[in-house]
Amino acid sequence: MSLPVNNWHKLSDLEQPECGCASWQQHWLRVTQHRWPATCYVAGCHNRATHAAHIQHTNDPRHWVLPMCEECYQASGAFTIKSVVTLVRSKQARACLEVLEEVEAV
């Protein structure tokens, strides 16, 4: 599936759904079956990924989980994600069963 790489924003804590996993990082790991990435998935950032951030694209109602560093996690405003990253849906009803989706630059 292709999604745009620009115009993403982090959701507030109040907008985040609940999940049966121990944490959203565990959710991301469980769904992707990948190791946690070494670096943040925000374009231009090379810091260590320490947070599982809930993000949403400006033109898409779906919520996603994205590995981020502390600095990007604390920042506000729109951001661009790297051109090829693994996003995981955070839809509550099927949170732990969603299939991973690769994002490609468009």
Side-chain angles (χ1 to χ4, degrees):
M1 167 181 250
S2 293
L3 294 169
V5 295
N6 57 355
N7 293 320
W8 291 87
H9 64 274
K10 191 171 77 64
L11 299 171
S12 73
D13 290 342
L14 297 175
E15 295 175 284
Q16 297 177 8
E18 295 183 17
C19 175
C21 296
S23 69
W24 284 104
Q25 182 174 349
Q26 288 299 317
H27 173 76
W28 188 92
L29 292 166
R30 180 179 179 184
V31 173
T32 65
Q33 297 296 302
H34 296 330
R35 290 182 181 206
W36 186 250
T39 58
C40 180
Y41 277 3
V42 173
C45 184
H46 303 288
N47 295 335
R48 185 169 63 93
T50 55
H51 294 279
H54 286 82
I55 65 169
Q56 183 177 25
H57 189 267
T58 303
N59 299 322
D60 187 343
R62 296 173 294 178
H63 295 187
W64 304 86
V65 177
L66 179 80
M68 273 188 176
C69 69
E70 175 71 24
E71 184 177 334
C72 292
Y73 186 79
Q74 296 300 329
S76 61
F79 59 88
T80 299
I81 59 175
K82 293 179 178 175
S83 60
V84 178
V85 298
T86 302
L87 292 178
V88 172
R89 293 280 309 274
S90 63
K91 184 177 177 183
Q92 182 177 352
R94 296 173 47 193
C96 297
L97 303 174
E98 289 292 332
V99 176
L100 71 95
E101 299 188 39
E102 297 290 331
V103 175
E104 301 172 7
V106 290

